[in-house]
Amino acid sequence: QVQLVESGGGLVKPGGSLRLSCAASGFTFSDYYMSWIRQAPGKGLEWVSYISSSSSYTNYADSVKGRFTISRDNAKNSLYLQMNSLRAEDTAVYYCARDTGYPDGGIDYWGQGTLVTVSS
Amino acid sequence: EIVLTQSPATLSLSPGERATLSCRASQSVSSYLAWYQQKPGQAPRLLIYDASNRATGIPARFSGSGSGTDFTLTISSLEPEDFAVYYCQQRSNWPPGDTFGQGTKLEIK
């Protein structure tokens, strides 16, 4: 069965950095776009970034552009999110997610999420 | 950035009733719109993609319609497990990037 397991979350000071990882299994990872989506405590969903199956195309929300970098390693079935210059408003649960196809698909599998807290 | 506006913010209905949720885009997204259901403490679940296609395993009581800027999610007869928060998501090519609506909370009346 499809599994997405995030890791790397935690408490970080404003201005600091963190790298999230997502281990994928149960499907052919290299066939799919992948996304990061976040949800601040008690708030709605916010799309953060996606990456194409071969890493040739990436895109970012304006709120993270220039600070976050998405990447993947298809040989390791892994997705990453490098987060730099973190701000208090980046505090959220970060979900790794599989995309069925862009732009006419949807996000059909989600990880359990990893909490990132940015606070001094 | 394309903005999605969902209405109403909260919808209070009883089991067995019909629910109609709206999602309006600030510019055309063609049919590139998805709907999700989220229950407390859980990750979202994909219900509808490409405006009107039900995802795998989604009951037939869920249906989506619309194109361009106006979209609707309809739940024909509410079951107790349908009470949750619903989000729409646009996936337009231009400008590139996804956005979510702010959500509609469907609560038991």
Side-chain angles (χ1 to χ4, degrees):
Chain A
Q1 71 282 20
V2 173
Q3 281 197 314
L4 299 168
V5 180
E6 302 96 337
S7 60
L11 176 63
V12 60
K13 289 182 168 52
S17 298
L18 214 53
R19 189 194 195 207
L20 304 183
S21 299
C22 172
S25 61
F27 66 102
T28 304
F29 182 71
S30 58
D31 284 349
Y32 289 85
Y33 272 61
M34 297 293 294
S35 295
W36 288 99
I37 292 146
R38 68 185 182 184
Q39 187 167 33
K43 302 296 184 183
L45 301 172
E46 181 185 13
W47 170 76
V48 173
S49 180
Y50 62 67
I51 185 168
S52 63
S53 54
S54 61
S55 303
S56 57
Y57 188 65
T58 61
N59 203 2
Y60 299 90
D62 288 345
S63 58
V64 307
K65 202 170 291 182
R67 300 187 298 122
F68 289 13
T69 302
I70 191 171
S71 62
R72 65 191 294 163
D73 185 336
N74 286 344
K76 294 183 178 180
N77 291 340
S78 294
L79 177 72
Y80 306 101
L81 185 68
Q82 177 67 43
M83 305 186 294
N84 298 331
S85 302
L86 283 161
R87 306 167 180 166
E89 54 265 34
D90 296 319
T91 294
V93 172
Y94 284 72
Y95 292 103
C96 163
R98 188 182 87 163
D99 204 316
T100 64
Y102 192 87
D104 57 344
I107 294 173
D108 64 344
Y109 283 94
W110 303 64
Q112 82 289 351
T114 187
L115 177 62
V116 172
T117 303
V118 184
S119 174
S120 54
Chain B
E1 176 182 291
I2 296 175
V3 177
L4 296 180
T5 302
Q6 292 187 240
S7 61
T10 303
L11 184 59
S12 300
L13 294 170
S14 300
E17 290 193 292
R18 181 184 186 90
T20 303
L21 287 67
S22 174
C23 178
R24 177 164 290 177
S26 58
Q27 65 186 78
S28 176
V29 298
S30 185
S31 64
Y32 303 141
L33 191 105
W35 289 94
Y36 300 85
Q37 176 194 70
Q38 188 178 32
K39 296 179 180 179
Q42 296 183 16
R45 177 172 72 144
L46 176 66
L47 301 174
I48 301 288
Y49 65 94
D50 204 23
S52 60
N53 295 287
R54 265 190 308 277
T56 303
I58 301 303
R61 65 180 181 274
F62 291 91
S63 63
S65 62
S67 66
T69 61
D70 290 297
F71 299 86
T72 301
L73 174 70
T74 301
I75 310 172
S76 59
S77 179
L78 286 165
E79 297 287 341
E81 61 268 27
D82 297 336
F83 292 92
V85 179
Y86 291 83
Y87 295 94
C88 57
Q89 176 201 27
Q90 69 79 21
R91 332 205 66 209
S92 176
N93 273 328
W94 192 262
D98 296 1
T99 50
F100 285 93
Q102 82 281 13
T104 289
K105 182 179 182 180
L106 178 57
E107 63 177 26
I108 300 177
K109 189 173 181 179

